[in-house]
Amino acid sequence: AYGLVPVAIVLAGLLAATDAIDVPLDAGTGERVVAVRSADMLRERHEMLAGDLTVDLTAAPLPRARPARVEAAVGVGELRVLVPADATVAVDAEVRLGDVTAPRRDPSGDTGVAVEESFTLEGGRGAPCLAVGGAVRAAVPGEKRWRS
């Protein structure tokens, strides 16, 4: 009976990990760049279980009248969202462990555990608008970046 204790500990750890991560276990691992080039791709939720995920919106068909909503999540790793330099971007970011960084923004943002930040990066007049929602459960090396 004592031989099952290590198995129970591993199973309990896996259950706890899947509860803490809101991405499917089959979302993939490694390094991935998603170049969004269509309205359908813009509506998809971009996910990765573990690794580095870059969502490139620099050539996406972005509306100018109303914000396009983009969702992305990484279980363990780093999430980067690349946006057009002149875009207005409203960001809702959640990092369970790590920090949030963005250009055109005060670099002294929160870092640590359960970081939740909402901010807007103002773009040019008549520029495309984006609403970006992203989550990273454990950031490695400890960052979530919103780049332009």
Side-chain angles (χ1 to χ4, degrees):
Y2 290 111
L4 295 177
V5 171
V7 173
I9 292 171
V10 169
L11 288 176
L14 286 174
L15 287 173
T18 58
D19 185 45
I21 300 171
D22 65 350
V23 296
L25 292 176
D26 63 352
T29 60
E31 189 172 319
R32 182 182 320 148
V33 175
V34 177
V36 177
R37 304 282 186 253
S38 70
D40 287 339
M41 288 182 74
L42 197 58
R43 288 187 289 272
E44 292 175 15
R45 179 178 161 98
H46 306 285
E47 301 172 317
M48 178 169 276
L49 180 63
D52 294 336
L53 174 60
T54 300
V55 180
D56 183 352
L57 302 171
T58 57
L62 303 175
R64 295 186 185 277
R66 60 179 172 72
R69 179 93 179 139
V70 178
E71 294 284 336
V74 173
V76 177
E78 183 172 303
L79 171 62
R80 284 179 297 282
V81 180
L82 306 176
V83 301
D86 65 339
T88 295
V89 185
V91 178
D92 288 318
E94 175 190 341
V95 178
R96 199 63 60 86
L97 177 63
D99 66 351
V100 177
T101 61
R104 300 182 280 163
R105 182 171 173 263
D106 180 7
S108 63
D110 286 337
T111 185
V113 178
V115 176
E116 291 185 28
E117 291 193 42
S118 294
F119 55 91
T120 300
L121 302 172
E122 295 295 336
R125 190 170 265 209
C129 297
L130 285 163
V132 178
V136 176
R137 295 294 162 236
V140 178
E143 294 187 24
K144 177 174 186 175
R145 300 178 190 187
W146 305 92
R147 295 185 182 167
S148 58

